[in-house]
Amino acid sequence: MFNPETFVEEKVRELAENVDGKAIIACSGGVDSTVAAKIVEMAIHENLLVVFVDTGFMRKNEAKNVEEVFKRAGFNYRIVDASDEFLNELEGVSEPEEKRKKIGAKFIEVFERAAKDFGAEYLVQGTIAPDWIESGGGLRDTIKSHHNVGGLPAKMNLKLVEPLRDLYKDEVRKLARYLGIETAERQPFPGPGLAIRVLGPITRERVDMAREANAIVEEEIEKYYDFESRPWQYFAVLLPVRSVGVHGDKRAYGYTVVVRMVESLDGMSATYFRAEHELLDRIANRITREIKEINRVVYDITNKPPGTIEWE
Ligand code: XMP
């Protein structure tokens, strides 16, 4: 049985003994990186710089919310707005692995600048077991090149610290609750963000559509179910598919949004969530009413396997 108290006590001691210089972490505000940051911060205090890189593929209000979390956690932090740089780099790119690799490379570039400025010798990462198992570090073939293992340590001349490497998601959530980190209440969000929830070519407009659709899905689900009854993960995916519909009494030729809700323990396998039709109605109505380019909403009933949770 995983005991958060013992884990924290032992890790903090081990880190305090071994990390003897400045360290830096790229923190998305997600549960993994925030918990990793908190544990290292408990060991080396202001010698850890917590950096949030705004890639422009973040959820609505993300940078603002993350900054609040950092403040409350008492971190020494920096928010870097690199959204223009990322969007320029990704404009027009469709292929999923190309998106992931370009985002990974740009991320390294932006983050390396911050690391140099701070004089960091160590790199902290919130890698958890499913990340490296699915990135080809284990027995399985590479399914997706996960953003948080996508080359950061290999290309940077920094010593790697991965305090959560052997843990699964449910254990990290227990740690977050134990440490009083608010993101424990938040669902997982992939490193490449909305870029992999916009299928087909990336454009600013399409990323904005995906951001709005994701916000609606999150809001409606969080209003409908209390925390205990919510799905493990829920989001919207914008498809490049257009279809004919009616808007008012006019013909429309708009985009399609997929709503995805899954139950899972650790993201390694998943079943689709048996959502109430009332909830699906509210989501579909709001998306088609509030995002004028979208006239069709479909619900994904695929389990993992054979599907993955994200579409890319
Ligand atoms: P898949 O789509 O592989 O997703 O079934 C499993 C879980 O991992 C999340 N995910 C990622 N998380 N970096 C991350 O930190 C990534 O590149 C990435 N890709 C997928 C996904 O949201 C789900 O919770």
Side-chain angles (χ1 to χ4, degrees):
M1 195 46 190
F2 176 73
N3 182 330
E5 194 177 343
T6 322
F7 181 89
V8 170
E9 209 179 283
E10 286 170 4
K11 266 294 161 205
V12 170
R13 193 181 323 123
E14 180 195 315
L15 292 165
E17 278 167 16
N18 294 304
V19 181
D20 55 2
K22 286 186 171 181
I24 189 165
I25 182 168
C27 186
S28 61
V31 67
D32 303 343
S33 52
T34 311
V35 168
K38 186 66 203 169
I39 290 176
V40 176
E41 190 269 335
M42 287 165 81
I44 65 166
H45 316 289
E46 70 287 343
N47 271 344
L48 174 71
L49 179 68
V50 181
V51 175
F52 175 80
V53 177
D54 185 348
T55 61
F57 302 125
M58 300 297 167
R59 286 171 289 190
K60 213 172 167 176
N61 299 324
E62 189 115 42
K64 223 172 58 205
N65 296 341
V66 165
E67 183 158 14
E68 285 306 309
V69 172
F70 288 3
K71 275 189 189 150
R72 278 195 285 265
F75 290 155
N76 171 23
Y77 72 87
R78 238 187 96 188
I79 309 284
V80 182
D81 179 3
S83 50
D84 283 341
E85 259 182 81
F86 275 87
L87 281 160
N88 290 339
E89 187 73 21
L90 269 285
E91 185 93 42
V93 177
S94 313
E95 209 280 313
E97 280 299 295
E98 193 185 342
K99 284 181 191 169
R100 283 173 177 273
K101 298 219 159 101
K102 285 206 146 126
I103 291 172
K106 179 50 81 182
F107 199 90
I108 293 168
E109 197 189 308
V110 172
F111 186 63
E112 234 169 3
R113 278 185 241 145
K116 283 215 178 87
D117 284 356
F118 185 59
E121 286 174 56
Y122 291 88
L123 172 68
V124 182
Q125 287 206 296
T127 317
I128 63 169
D131 297 335
W132 58 266
I133 293 168
E134 291 203 353
S135 284
L139 295 173
R140 303 173 61 167
D141 290 331
T142 299
I143 297 168
K144 299 175 184 182
S145 42
H146 271 220
H147 165 71
N148 46 356
V149 222
L152 259 191
K155 298 201 183 156
M156 292 178 75
N157 203 13
L158 297 173
K159 289 168 260 181
L160 187 62
V161 180
E162 291 178 315
L164 313 179
R165 200 182 153 76
D166 298 323
L167 304 186
Y168 282 83
K169 202 88 192 188
D170 54 322
E171 297 170 327
V172 179
R173 287 181 171 215
K174 281 186 192 146
L175 269 183
R177 271 195 291 277
Y178 171 72
L179 294 168
I181 286 170
E182 301 136 83
T183 57
E185 304 286 303
R186 281 181 46 186
Q187 52 157 335
F189 186 65
L194 297 174
I196 59 159
R197 292 182 181 170
V198 171
L199 271 67
I202 303 260
T203 65
R204 262 164 223 270
E205 295 69 31
R206 301 187 71 234
V207 173
D208 288 343
M209 278 185 236
R211 183 172 3 256
E212 278 308 311
N214 269 278
I216 292 170
V217 169
E218 291 193 359
E219 276 168 34
E220 289 303 318
I221 289 173
E222 287 163 16
K223 260 195 293 190
Y224 199 85
Y225 298 112
D226 61 20
F227 183 71
E228 296 305 317
S229 355
R230 267 172 218 162
W232 187 77
Q233 194 172 10
Y234 39 95
F235 54 89
V237 175
L238 179 72
L239 299 188
V241 174
R242 294 171 80 186
S243 68
V244 176
V246 282
H247 221 125
D249 51 6
K250 285 209 177 69
R251 178 186 187 274
Y253 186 50
Y255 284 107
T256 308
V257 157
V258 177
V259 177
R260 180 91 163 128
M261 304 181 203
V262 295
E263 283 297 21
S264 178
L265 199 58
D266 53 19
M268 301 287 278
S269 62
T271 51
Y272 83 86
F273 184 75
R274 271 67 175 167
E276 308 280 329
H277 280 270
E278 169 65 28
L279 169 66
L280 295 173
D281 270 355
R282 290 185 194 179
I283 291 173
N285 286 338
R286 268 194 71 192
I287 290 178
T288 50
R289 204 175 53 232
E290 293 175 28
I291 313 172
K292 64 178 190 327
E293 299 89 346
I294 295 169
N295 65 346
R296 202 170 287 267
V297 178
V298 299
Y299 190 55
D300 185 351
I301 54 168
T302 318
N303 296 328
K304 174 184 180 178
T308 50
I309 296 177
E310 304 287 347
W311 276 48
E312 290 193 336

